Amino acid sequence: MIYTMQGLENDHPIREMLFNLLPTEIPERADIAPEGADALGVVVEQAGAENRIRVCCVRGGKQICAEKRAPISDDAEQTKRVRTHALKSAIFEAVVPFLDTAPEWGSLTGVRPAKFARSFMEQGYTPAQVAKLMTETYHVSAARRALAIRSAGVAMDLKEKIRDNDISIYIGIPFCPSRCSYCSFVSHSIEKAGKLMEAYLDTLCGEIAHTGEILKQAGLRIVTIYIGGGTPTTLSAEQMDRLLRTVHQAFDLHALEEFTVEAGRPDTITREKLTVLKKYGVDRISINPQSMNDAVLEGIGRHHSAQDVLDRYQTAREVGFSAINMDTIAGLDGDTPESFARTIDMLLELNPENITVHTLAAKRGADQHDRAHNAQKQDDVRQMLEIASQKLTAAGYVPYYLYRQKFMAGGFENVGWCKIGYECKYNVYMMEELQTIVSLGAGGVTKLLGSDGRKIRRISNPKYPYEYNVSLQRINAGKQEILNWAQSSTALPD
Ligand code: SF4
């Protein structure tokens, strides 16, 4: 789709909305649209105390236009935010009449819809008022706004209980037994990168020990720990024992409320490893089937069967885990609404405390062909998500957190469902940006939350294990910033 722009520069939101509405087309900017071509024309002009926005979409010789006004205030950030939302909304109204189905998240393109809903609820809007706003101004469907508002409520309840010096810890293990075809994470198959693992563990233990000192000096309380990846259980039982022993030696865990390890791939789980996790107080694990259809599992490169999932789940219960999450993905190649429904039924029969329903997202850097392939699945994905929602609700699960990624089939979302009382606090803190998260390991991004609850300062570790393994001194030196932040009463400068 060609687009033209006059007046204020707004390239990013225009491209973002066009990707959202027309995922199979590449947005191309032009000075003038060729005669008769399908195109979007955008004009944003300042007129007195407001910005005036006019968007016209031409497709197949027909033109539809939409106009919006956005007030200008003394706060430049607020002015830009209001203008951007108005612009996206105008693009939505001009383009959607040409589509078979409107995206369910309307003109919202952000990754945190619950945070968006919460921002209004914290200003005093009632849930009914937020629902009205999301429908009338942002064109969000009833099902999606219900998800956002419920998750916002969970986040508000948890936020009330957070103390000033509470933090969470994330530890990354970026190794997997093999690469799954759909995966966008930075993770390495042990076949290719297994030789880096021992040095990785050495570096990670060094970073944990140093961070423990800093956190004690700073007087910070660790309330949740999440070990993710990758697949942490790619580590052997001995390596896992060493990692968790180091965690216990380095950190003061007297205030710890939740300790999660993603066991992830069933082909890495053994009774021995689960026993090590239990010994060190891990109280929540994930066993992630993604699908319970063997043909789908094979197609996506997972080296395990549905039966392996059932067996490992049984072992985890025998070892004594009473909070288990299971991940699924809607939209995998070879899956259908019917076989996806069978996956959900099989998981419900197991009765885990959490089920997370993801929507397939095209990989970062995916080409137009992949994105188009994904977009074509949107009707199936919509059905799959409806099936999941109905079955999970009927079985007593409730949605408690959600997030979106770029290039998801149908522009949908990932939703964490749980039995009441089994919300994973870390997931909510992290996704809703409610609390400082100190992240360790390759690719870890520490997010220090400002005292206003909004400004976030990031400290990034090297992304790949081969860089991380030779950077311990630099990484540890960077931790001083955590101390500075804590000592300056968590106030971040502008
Ligand atoms: S196991 Fe998880 S992190 Fe590893 S490749 Fe598969 S999806 Fe990615």
Side-chain angles (χ1 to χ4, degrees), residues 176-196:
C176 292
S178 65
R179 290 284 296 162
C180 306
S181 60
Y182 57 83
C183 181
S184 276
F185 290 111
V186 175
S187 184
H188 307 268
S189 74
I190 40 174
E191 191 192 327
K192 287 194 180 153
K195 55 185 181 301
L196 297 175

Side-chain angles (χ1 to χ4, degrees), residues 249-274:
Q249 286 165 350
F251 297 138
D252 178 350
L253 299 181
H254 79 275
L256 192 67
E257 295 167 7
E258 179 183 279
F259 194 167
T260 305
V261 173
E262 274 187 36
R265 289 268 293 257
D267 44 338
T268 62
I269 301 173
T270 64
R271 184 179 293 271
E272 207 185 352
K273 291 182 197 178
L274 292 173

Side-chain angles (χ1 to χ4, degrees), residues 49-53 68-72 79 82-84 86-87:
E50 63 183 15
N51 282 306
R52 291 193 183 157
I53 297 157
K68 298 278 170 196
R69 293 176 177 208
I72 296 171
T79 297
V82 171
R83 189 182 70 224
T84 302
L87 171 60

Side-chain angles (χ1 to χ4, degrees), residues 322-436:
S322 55
I324 300 179
N325 171 64
M326 307 189 89
D327 280 1
T328 60
I329 301 177
L332 291 170
D333 281 346
D335 215 359
T336 63
E338 293 71 33
S339 60
F340 184 78
R342 280 197 294 281
T343 291
I344 298 292
D345 285 339
M346 287 175 80
L347 299 191
L348 287 176
E349 236 169 80
L350 290 174
N351 201 24
E353 287 65 33
N354 297 67
I355 295 179
T356 307
V357 181
H358 294 262
T359 296
L360 184 70
K363 289 193 212 181
R364 268 176 232 134
D367 62 16
Q368 196 60 21
H369 172 80
D370 281 353
R371 293 216 305 269
H373 178 65
N374 233 20
Q376 281 153 8
K377 295 177 177 177
Q378 77 171 28
D379 290 340
D380 273 359
V381 168
R382 176 179 286 108
Q383 271 192 60
M384 291 176 185
L385 297 180
E386 273 171 24
I387 288 167
S389 175
Q390 283 167 11
K391 286 180 180 287
L392 288 163
T393 303
Y397 291 77
V398 288
Y400 76 97
Y401 88 108
L402 80 154
Y403 65 102
R404 300 172 72 205
Q405 292 165 264
K406 275 199 167 163
F407 310 134
M408 285 187 135
F412 289 106
E413 69 283 313
N414 304 319
V415 180
W417 294 78
C418 69
K419 293 185 180 173
I420 301 276
Y422 284 93
E423 294 81 5
C424 171
K425 292 179 186 172
Y426 173 85
N427 282 337
V428 180
Y429 294 158
M430 185 264 305
M431 203 43 71
E432 291 293 307
E433 300 182 318
L434 292 181
Q435 192 184 76
T436 284

Side-chain angles (χ1 to χ4, degrees), residues 212-287:
E213 286 304 317
I214 294 280
L215 298 185
K216 282 174 195 159
Q217 282 178 49
L220 297 172
R221 288 175 11 122
I222 301 169
V223 289
T224 79
I225 299 179
Y226 193 103
I227 304 186
T231 306
T233 39
T234 308
L235 297 177
S236 67
E238 293 73 28
Q239 289 171 325
M240 184 63 81
D241 193 286
R242 180 181 168 203
L243 172 65
L244 297 183
R245 192 168 61 244
T246 306
V247 165
H248 273 261
Q249 286 165 350
F251 297 138
D252 178 350
L253 299 181
H254 79 275
L256 192 67
E257 295 167 7
E258 179 183 279
F259 194 167
T260 305
V261 173
E262 274 187 36
R265 289 268 293 257
D267 44 338
T268 62
I269 301 173
T270 64
R271 184 179 293 271
E272 207 185 352
K273 291 182 197 178
L274 292 173
T275 306
V276 171
L277 301 185
K278 195 77 191 150
K279 173 174 130 189
Y280 287 102
V282 172
D283 54 11
R284 189 174 177 278
I285 59 169
S286 285
I287 298 173

